[in-house]
Amino acid sequence: MTQTARQTTADNPLDIVIVGAGFAGLYALQRALTSGRQAVVIERGDGVGGTWYWNRYPGARCDVQSMEYSYSFDAALQQEWSWTERYAAQPEILEYANHVADRFHLRPHIEFKRTVAKMVYLEDRKVWQTVTSDGANYFSRFCIMATGCLSSTNLPEFEGLNTFEGESYHTGQWPHHPVTFEGKKVGIIGTGSSAIQSIPIIAESCEHLTIFQRTPNYSIPAHNGPIDPDYVATIKNNYDDFRAQNKQMFAGFGAHQTRWDDSVFAADEATREARFETRWQEGGLGFSSSFNDTGSNLEANQIAAEFVRNKIRSQVDNKETAELLCPDQVLGCKRVCVDTNYYATYNRPNVSLVSVKEHPIEAITPKGLVTGGQAYDFDMLIFATGFDAMTGTLSKIRIEGIDGLTLNEKWAEGPKTYLGLAVTGFPNLFTVSGPGSPSVLSNMIVTIEQHINWIMNCLDHLASIEAGTIEATMEAETHWVTLGNDIAAGTLFPTCNSWYLGANVPGKPRIFMPYVGGFPSYAEICDQIQREGYTGFSIR
Ligand code: FAD
Ligand code: N01
């Protein structure tokens, strides 16, 4: 296949070039091959798994439960695979991705260690030319960008960044060799999900861990542990129903949990506390749906937020540290974290918290870093500073559409898509989990499958009517962007500096990027557009 891919020409193109071998790229390839299409995946890493290939930091695991954070497209696969924990850890999820690649014979169709640098739409041929940084060329009629929403790390441009003489790592590009913390003074910058997962584990073996926190986050306990075999059997006996129920959930998961649809204001204080406590004991992201208005009403939100703050105060012995750890932004406005022993870790004698809110990190030095005029020395610095989310990875590829317009030029003031799937001016190119789709606000495997199914149905339709190209109309794209912005403006999401808004990357346009109307309504809109003959698309 490698040979075939390299030998393609504009006159003899492949059907599809897929960029990325994470869960999206693997499923796109499986669907392409089973429908008899010629396809190749180009992946810059030397293995499959995407997120789970790159994020090997200690403690990395999913926060959507394992029985839900897995593919549903193959009944035998979902019966034969066994998860060991309620929330699977990174090595197990990576093993699963590798199992899928082998089980469906995908590996021969993946070109590893190749980075796509440029993609050009050859308008006269109706073909995309994909060029890698090592000079390989691929020609295809369609392109599927399975490049991931959280696949470009964000490393702030601290003064003196490269002068540090000790070990330094970014959580999102963790090395493949073992990293030991024994006897080391470790500094970690950031308190998002990656930091919150890794801090308790690093603290167990290092000499001292100093955490530099700019904004505290809300974190709910995972209550992780071995998966209950009875629960697994119940789900596996009825997996299709379980998947179908999850697709009716706002974020595409959580169907196993008790649901309530009442307002926090309808409950007296004792009822509220009992409800929040129930959710806290269940653990995980379901806490955010304790009542129906904590995501939309600021006062309701702050009642839930205060419950979490009180939990933090009850777990952290040092009162000053506890207050520093208490967030004051809207609960859920930055992604809520799910942890194991995070707050209790601050009771260890070898752990200290430094707030850099008032005094930003001034510089990285050969020995450590400086903040508030004080120098801190370390053997190891860990950057848990997140990602240039949703658009960052696409922006690193020069994608030239009709009339040579690049995607970066088109998105200079923020991403514009139709359904998060297609971009006007870029025919036959699809963005999986793109900005304008539920993507990062959902169980991403559910939304990845929905996108790939939609794209493959679309390709079947084009083939059936012998059409060559499909492109979103400007009118449909504009309408979709406006709709997305309007829905987001009616929520509490845009009220803080989150990566959902691009606020974590200096100079990035501030647009709420994911579609916040929920997975079920989004999927229904996509289905309807398909049923009605691709409304909002121009097919030629
Ligand atoms: P990715 O897994 O990011 O794969 C994209 C691939 O494209 C990568 O392998 C990358 O190397 C490759 N690529 C990118 N650019 C190029 C290029 N130019 N050339 C060649 N290759 C390229 N989501 C959930 O729903 N639940 C969770 O519990 C959850 N946990 C997460 C935990 C962590 C630590 C992180 C970082 C994210 C988590 N996510 C979670 C989100 C996660 O990203 C998705 O669930 C999912 O794995 C994304 O799959 P993907 O295939 O779309 O993208
Ligand atoms: O990144 P983040 P992440 N000086 O952006 C801080 C998924 N995920 O890798 O908030 C000082 O959340 C920054 O501070 P602030 C999940 O979707 C899931 O942790 O900008 N600090 C913040 O504290 C998640 O949301 C899991 O003020 C600086 C931190 O760095 C997404 O990936 C696990 C700074 C970055 O936090 C990203 O999570 C891991 C600076 N100059 C990831 N710049 C699960 O549990 C940044 N920070 C499933």
Side-chain angles (χ1 to χ4, degrees):
M1 186 64 198
T2 298
Q3 285 304 311
T4 315
R6 282 185 196 151
Q7 285 166 12
T8 61
T9 61
D11 293 328
N12 185 23
L14 291 162
D15 293 310
I16 316 173
V17 158
I18 300 162
V19 188
F23 283 124
L26 291 179
Y27 181 45
L29 180 60
Q30 190 273 346
R31 284 293 309 266
L33 296 177
T34 48
S35 61
R37 292 186 164 88
Q38 269 201 310
V40 65
V41 169
I42 307 170
E43 166 57 54
R44 66 185 173 193
D46 67 2
V48 300
T51 288
W52 307 100
Y53 170 91
W54 296 106
N55 289 265
R56 297 169 186 241
Y57 61 83
R61 62 178 70 249
C62 54
D63 62 7
V64 168
Q65 293 195 22
S66 315
M67 295 303 287
E68 289 152 86
Y69 190 68
S70 49
Y71 287 122
S72 69
F73 71 83
D74 189 90
L77 170 68
Q78 66 181 9
Q79 287 300 324
E80 76 198 10
W81 184 262
S82 301
W83 297 106
T84 60
E85 289 179 283
R86 191 173 177 214
Y87 296 97
Q90 173 271 331
E92 192 168 62
I93 305 175
L94 184 58
E95 198 186 325
Y96 174 73
N98 276 288
H99 171 74
V100 170
D102 292 331
R103 193 187 189 290
F104 296 100
H105 313 292
L106 304 179
R107 232 176 266 281
H109 307 277
I110 307 175
E111 304 226 338
F112 292 108
K113 295 210 260 187
R114 283 226 148 125
T115 302
V116 171
K118 185 173 169 185
M119 302 172 84
V120 183
Y121 187 60
L122 308 177
E123 227 174 310
D124 50 341
R125 310 283 189 116
K126 313 273 178 272
V127 159
W128 279 95
Q129 179 180 8
T130 296
V131 187
T132 60
S133 56
D134 59 351
N137 280 275
Y138 304 79
F139 296 88
S140 62
R141 293 186 53 223
F142 299 96
C143 288
I144 299 182
M145 305 309 290
T147 41
C149 295
L150 297 161
S151 47
S152 282
T153 50
N154 169 42
L155 189 56
E157 290 178 2
F158 295 116
E159 193 189 314
L161 184 61
N162 297 319
T163 62
F164 182 63
E165 289 168 353
E167 293 170 75
S168 80
Y169 307 109
H170 191 292
T171 47
Q173 280 183 316
W174 198 259
H176 290 200
H177 61 75
V179 175
T180 57
F181 307 103
E182 278 85 11
K184 291 177 188 164
K185 290 195 185 76
V186 181
I188 184 165
I189 301 171
T191 49
S193 300
S194 303
I196 281 177
Q197 288 187 327
S198 54
I199 284 167
I201 298 175
I202 298 168
E204 277 171 17
S205 60
C206 71
E207 184 187 312
H208 194 92
L209 177 63
T210 309
I211 296 122
F212 295 92
Q213 170 188 273
R214 187 165 65 184
T215 313
N217 258 306
Y218 296 93
S219 190
I220 313 296
H223 300 308
N224 190 33
I227 201 159
D228 175 358
D230 292 337
Y231 174 70
V232 172
T234 310
I235 301 292
K236 284 195 173 178
N237 281 338
N238 239 331
Y239 226 145
D240 288 348
D241 280 353
F242 183 58
R243 299 288 194 189
Q245 285 167 31
N246 274 316
K247 285 186 192 161
Q248 294 310 313
M249 303 297 293
F250 187 84
F253 69 99
H256 62 280
Q257 283 193 310
T258 319
R259 266 163 275 163
W260 297 286
D261 196 25
D262 51 344
S263 160
V264 74
F265 302 113
D268 60 30
E269 207 172 320
T271 312
R272 283 176 192 170
E273 285 291 304
R275 177 79 60 83
F276 288 135
E277 187 62 33
T278 302
R279 278 290 199 241
W280 188 267
Q281 294 309 330
E282 285 174 0
L285 295 169
F287 181 83
S288 302
S289 57
S290 304
F291 291 93
N292 69 8
D293 45 4
T294 54
S296 54
N297 177 295
L298 184 57
E299 203 186 326
N301 183 280
Q302 283 308 299
I303 292 171
E306 187 59 12
F307 179 90
V308 180
R309 286 191 284 265
N310 284 334
K311 284 288 187 189
I312 297 170
R313 292 175 185 123
S314 72
Q315 291 174 83
V316 179
D317 298 341
N318 182 298
K319 284 197 170 18
E320 207 180 315
T321 306
E323 285 312 315
L324 275 181
L325 287 166
C326 283
D328 61 6
Q329 70 270 18
V330 158
L331 169 73
C333 142
K334 284 172 184 269
R335 188 182 162 107
V336 169
C337 306
V338 175
D339 72 276
T340 298
N341 297 331
Y342 176 61
Y343 293 115
T345 298
Y346 289 92
N347 297 332
R348 296 178 65 102
N350 68 335
V351 171
S352 30
L353 178 67
V354 175
S355 172
V356 293
K357 191 171 191 162
E358 310 298 336
H359 305 286
I361 293 168
E362 288 156 40
I364 306 292
T365 65
K367 297 279 170 234
L369 61 78
V370 178
T371 168
Q374 192 179 336
Y376 295 82
D377 290 355
F378 297 111
D379 302 302
M380 184 191 292
L381 265 182
I382 297 174
F383 296 89
T385 44
F387 300 89
D388 182 351
M390 303 205 70
T391 54
T393 306
L394 287 170
S395 75
K396 290 191 171 64
I397 306 172
R398 183 179 171 86
I399 305 177
E400 287 178 30
I402 288 177
D403 293 335
L405 181 76
T406 67
L407 193 65
N408 284 343
E409 287 163 350
K410 163 120 190 179
W411 286 4
E413 285 162 20
K416 296 182 180 76
T417 69
Y418 182 36
L419 304 174
L421 264 170
V423 185
T424 311
F426 299 81
N428 289 3
L429 180 130
F430 301 97
T431 50
V432 184
S433 314
S437 74
S439 57
V440 290
L441 295 179
S442 65
N443 174 353
M444 286 200 67
I445 302 195
V446 169
T447 55
I448 283 169
E449 287 190 331
Q450 184 260 344
H451 263 193
I452 302 296
N453 291 341
W454 193 97
I455 293 166
M456 291 302 165
N457 289 343
C458 171
L459 299 196
D460 287 347
H461 174 72
L462 296 181
S464 73
I465 60 167
E466 296 184 4
T469 62
I470 181 163
E471 183 188 350
T473 66
M474 186 66 86
E475 193 189 4
E477 184 184 81
T478 305
H479 173 74
W480 187 252
V481 171
T482 307
L483 177 73
N485 289 342
D486 288 351
I487 302 175
T491 70
L492 298 173
F493 273 112
T495 59
C496 70
N497 290 332
S498 71
W499 58 257
Y500 295 135
L501 268 172
N504 62 331
V505 176
K508 193 166 170 172
R510 288 205 180 195
I511 302 284
F512 193 81
M513 293 183 283
Y515 173 82
V516 70
F519 175 74
S521 70
Y522 171 80
E524 175 47 33
I525 293 169
C526 292
D527 287 351
Q528 188 183 346
I529 285 168
Q530 224 150 30
R531 279 195 305 270
E532 291 175 357
Y534 295 86
T535 335
F537 286 95
S538 150
I539 292 178
R540 295 195 189 92

